[in-house]
């Protein structure tokens, strides 16, 4: 399995505050990688550094084998079109209805006419699980779960190869969060996506992630399959995975995947 993202010796500083110091991370093609860590460990900063929304203080970010930080703007833009990003809270344009939100990147980057872009946008909305009739609604008229799905449809607009998700189930009720997790799993399998997932949701980690990376001490402390990471002898890792919520998520996962007793 080859690596589609390679982060080497990444440093991110904000004034005198160092968030990342010599951070290394690889993301494998076709996997769902969950990124976790305590508050202030720079999970979203890492995501933004990889997708090009923040220029790190130093280090290298290779995506599809290319050093994004050294590419000319036009070449870099071509690589970045192979990304889809779902931001926290959806980040939809409140003045546009849902299908217009999804159509915008198609008009800007795929040179489609507005009718063509909106027709394809409707397909993406259906792919993200939004019901018929939602296209003309505005973000303020949607539930939290529907906003997340609309934002996912926009992230899928340009048929990306890598999907970046920043806390996609935050604020959702357990049923909506579980449905969203299953949607991500289905899309990964159907479209061959690689998924970089920032989350604190233990149910998400147990349900859909192939590997988990823990950010701590300004670096990736440990990365690997969840059952291995959960055994790492670090106080935060132990408290996170073996506290009450961690135990509940693990037990729920085991119940779901254990053979039924006849």
């Amino acid at each position: 399995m080859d690596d589609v993202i390679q982060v080497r010796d990444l440093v991110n500083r904000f004034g005198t505050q160092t968030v990342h110091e010599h951070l290394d991370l690889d993301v494998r093609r076709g996997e769902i990688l969950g990124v976790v860590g305590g508050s202030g460990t720079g999970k979203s900063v890492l995501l933004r550094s990889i997708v090009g929304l923040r220029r790190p203080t130093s280090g290298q970010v290779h995506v599809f084998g290319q050093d994004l930080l050294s590419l000319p703007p036009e070449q870099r833009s071509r690589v970045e079109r192979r990304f889809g990003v779902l931001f926290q809270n959806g980040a939809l344009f409140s003045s546009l209805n849902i299908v217009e939100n999804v159509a915008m990147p198609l008009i800007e980057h795929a040179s489609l006419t507005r009718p063509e872009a909106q027709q394809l946008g409707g397909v993406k909305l259906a792919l993200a699980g939004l019901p018929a009739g939602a296209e003309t609604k505005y973000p303020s008229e949607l539930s939290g779960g529907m906003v997340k799905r609309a934002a996912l449809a926009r992230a899928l607009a340009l048929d990306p190869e890598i999907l970046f998700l920043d806390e996609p189930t935050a604020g959702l009720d357990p049923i909506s969060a579980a449905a969203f997790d299953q949607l991500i799993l289905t899309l990964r399998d159907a479209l061959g996506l690689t998924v970089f997932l920032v989350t604190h949701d233990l149910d998400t980690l147990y349900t859909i992630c192939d590997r988990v990376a823990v950010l701590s001490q300004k670096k990736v402390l440990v990365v690997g399959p969840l059952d291995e990471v959960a055994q790492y002898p670090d106080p935060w890792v132990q408290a996170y995975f073996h506290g009450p919520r961690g135990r509940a998520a693990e037990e729920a996962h085991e119940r779901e995947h254990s053979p039924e007793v006849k």
Side-chain angles (χ1 to χ4, degrees):
M1 186 180 290
D2 59 325
D3 298 326
V4 291
I5 299 172
Q6 293 179 318
V7 180
R8 292 290 180 272
D9 206 25
L10 188 75
V11 176
N12 271 305
R13 293 195 181 98
F14 296 87
T16 58
Q17 181 189 9
T18 300
V19 177
H20 301 137
E21 188 83 64
H22 309 304
L23 181 151
D24 295 336
L25 180 64
D26 295 329
V27 184
R28 300 168 180 169
R29 185 180 302 276
E31 77 171 341
I32 299 178
L33 176 74
V35 178
V36 302
S39 179
T41 53
K43 300 180 293 295
S44 295
V45 173
L46 175 58
L47 183 154
R48 293 170 68 86
S49 297
I50 296 172
V51 302
L53 292 173
R54 170 177 169 77
R55 188 171 187 89
T57 306
S58 63
Q60 292 183 315
V61 177
H62 285 85
V63 185
F64 305 120
Q66 300 192 67
D67 183 356
L68 287 190
L69 302 179
S70 65
L71 286 179
E74 188 175 328
Q75 284 181 255
R76 180 169 163 174
S77 178
R78 281 201 296 271
V79 173
E80 290 172 350
R81 285 176 212 168
R82 300 164 72 183
F83 305 162
V85 185
L86 190 158
F87 297 100
Q88 281 190 47
N89 306 317
L92 297 172
F93 295 106
S94 59
S95 60
L96 300 179
N97 67 29
I98 299 308
V99 77
E100 289 170 340
N101 264 281
V102 179
M104 178 170 285
L106 292 164
I107 295 169
E108 288 189 356
H109 299 296
S111 302
L112 297 185
T113 65
R114 190 170 299 276
E116 289 170 340
Q118 293 195 5
Q119 183 177 5
L120 187 52
V123 173
K124 301 296 182 179
L125 288 169
L127 191 64
L130 276 163
E135 299 95 333
T136 56
K137 293 183 181 294
Y138 286 82
S140 61
E141 300 175 298
L142 300 179
S143 68
M146 291 178 74
V147 167
K148 298 279 188 182
R149 288 174 183 262
L152 177 61
R154 186 176 64 183
L156 294 169
L158 295 173
D159 297 326
E161 296 168 55
I162 307 177
L163 195 57
F164 293 89
L165 308 176
D166 194 355
E167 299 282 9
T169 59
L172 299 185
D173 65 84
I175 294 174
S176 297
F180 197 91
D181 286 343
Q182 289 304 318
L183 175 62
I184 297 302
L185 200 56
T186 300
L187 290 172
R188 188 278 301 268
D189 293 343
L191 304 177
L193 297 169
T194 301
V195 182
F196 181 101
L197 168 68
V198 171
T199 187
H200 67 275
D201 192 326
L202 282 151
D203 289 322
T204 298
L205 295 177
Y206 275 100
T207 303
I208 69 172
C209 290
D210 299 299
R211 293 192 306 148
V212 176
V214 177
L215 297 193
S216 182
Q217 301 167 35
K218 304 177 184 177
K219 62 183 181 181
V220 175
L221 185 66
V222 58
V223 59
L226 190 146
D227 56 347
E228 294 177 13
V229 170
Q231 301 310 313
Y232 191 80
D234 172 81
W236 187 89
V237 171
Q238 291 300 305
Y240 183 72
F241 287 104
H242 300 292
R245 290 188 176 185
R247 289 196 301 272
E250 183 180 13
E251 289 166 5
H253 179 74
E254 288 175 352
R255 282 196 306 273
E256 189 174 327
H257 290 84
S258 62
E260 292 184 2
V261 178
K262 300 294 183 184

